[in-house]
Amino acid sequence: MTILEAKGLQVSYDNTEVLSEVSFTLQGGDYLGIVGPNGCGKSTLIKALLGLIPLDRGEVALFGTSARDFREWQRVGFLPQRLRTLASHFPATVHEVVALGLLGGKRFPKRLTQNDREKVADICEQMGIGTLGRRLVSELSGGQQQRVLLARALVSGPELLFLDEPTTALDPETRESFYALLREINRERQTTVVMVTHDTWNIGRYAARLLYLDRRVIFDGTFAEFCHAPDMARFFGEHAGNTIYHEH
Ligand code: ADP
């Protein structure tokens, strides 16, 4: 099943074109890593796909419906780069933050039902933060906060999950377990995963498919193809490319 279709996307900020002719499709269960140099438009692409910024040109369809008419946002989860508000003063508990992930699908007044509370408790349990429900998020470690945000993105049971540089703030060990968790979600629930990352070294171990962006789609294929593509070898440096490929 086609989950997402992006056709000829063009996006500008203040008349400066940031994305041009970006097209790709996602099938159910795909795990796509979006990589590329700093400032190449990765975050912009995610925002454009989510309808958070306008397109100059092009079309996005989600689950077969044009994004303009799409109303089922509970089918889509989003883990933003990092909630800076969470890091310092935000006085909300783990359960409160995770419950925010259910409110998007509700009409005003937005109230949580008993069933919602059970969903929140269940996802926290699955994300390994089951005992932290009443703790303030601001008091948790970076890795725990990231799990809270992942639980918030997953609590509505999305079929499509976007993550924007989710591992930047994590230490290497927490990063590994975060990737492992995502792989499980992708494999067991068949959740389609789209992850923007700088972590090209790790992403190849997890994402079945890579999209290398530099304002345009420079490469779209498997990790093995990526390592063998002459243009991409230049990106890693020849030696690094070999090292990475042999790790697989
Ligand atoms: P990446 O995520 O790949 O680092 P971004 O999508 O954040 O790249 O940014 C792409 C380009 O657009 C960069 O040159 C950045 O400075 C610019 N940009 C990003 N957000 C804005 C904005 N809100 N207003 C103006 N320019 C922006």
Side-chain angles (χ1 to χ4, degrees):
M1 180 195 178
T2 302
I3 299 282
L4 181 144
E5 190 166 11
K7 263 199 236 159
L9 306 189
Q10 183 181 313
V11 176
S12 312
Y13 294 115
D14 309 323
N15 294 324
T16 307
E17 204 173 287
V18 176
L19 293 177
S20 170
E21 282 300 315
V22 173
S23 300
F24 67 98
T25 53
L26 286 173
Q27 304 300 321
D30 272 355
Y31 189 147
L32 176 74
I34 300 182
V35 296
N38 241 334
C40 71
K42 301 184 291 296
S43 295
T44 301
L45 175 58
I46 299 295
K47 289 180 198 158
L49 295 173
L50 288 167
L52 299 173
I53 48 174
L55 302 174
D56 297 345
R57 262 196 234 161
E59 290 264 353
V60 177
L62 292 157
F63 303 98
T65 302
S66 165
R68 267 173 278 132
D69 304 321
F70 187 71
R71 297 285 176 270
E72 299 171 301
W73 288 103
Q74 71 280 5
R75 298 175 80 178
V76 182
F78 177 42
L79 185 77
Q81 261 183 18
R82 188 150 52 110
L83 274 195
R84 286 178 188 80
T85 42
L86 281 185
S88 50
H89 309 299
F90 197 51
T93 65
V94 168
H95 275 173
E96 285 166 348
V97 169
V98 174
L100 292 174
L102 288 172
L103 296 181
K106 290 183 186 286
R107 289 168 188 276
F108 192 81
K110 299 178 182 256
R111 289 212 183 90
L112 293 178
T113 62
Q114 182 58 30
N115 185 26
D116 291 337
R117 288 181 213 288
E118 282 164 19
K119 279 190 192 161
V120 168
D122 280 354
I123 196 77
C124 287
E125 197 63 46
Q126 286 172 46
M127 296 299 116
I129 48 171
T131 58
L132 304 177
R134 290 176 194 283
R135 295 272 301 277
L136 288 177
V137 174
S138 55
E139 292 172 350
L140 305 182
S141 71
Q144 288 169 332
Q145 288 187 353
Q146 204 62 335
R147 281 169 183 261
V148 173
L149 295 180
L150 186 60
R152 185 186 67 162
L154 290 174
V155 67
S156 64
E159 293 149 76
L160 171 60
L161 179 63
F162 290 101
L163 306 104
D164 192 353
E165 309 230 4
T167 63
T168 312
L170 304 182
D171 60 71
E173 201 177 309
T174 316
R175 190 172 296 188
E176 282 294 310
S177 68
F178 184 80
Y179 278 124
L181 194 63
L182 267 186
R183 178 156 60 182
E184 201 180 298
I185 291 163
N186 172 248
R187 289 197 179 156
E188 286 174 16
R189 303 185 193 189
Q190 286 294 297
T191 304
T192 305
V193 175
V194 180
M195 184 192 287
V196 166
T197 183
H198 273 122
D199 191 3
T200 322
W201 301 89
N202 269 311
I203 192 70
R205 293 166 52 203
Y206 295 99
R209 183 173 152 207
L210 286 187
L211 193 118
Y212 187 95
L213 196 70
D214 194 356
R215 294 186 44 221
R216 295 165 180 270
V217 176
I218 307 288
F219 175 88
D220 181 1
T222 65
F223 186 72
E225 288 163 353
F226 182 77
C227 292
H228 287 303
D231 286 356
M232 296 300 109
R234 231 180 293 139
F235 168 70
F236 280 123
E238 209 166 291
H239 174 69
N242 288 339
T243 311
I244 291 170
Y245 189 66
H246 286 305
E247 276 176 11
H248 293 71

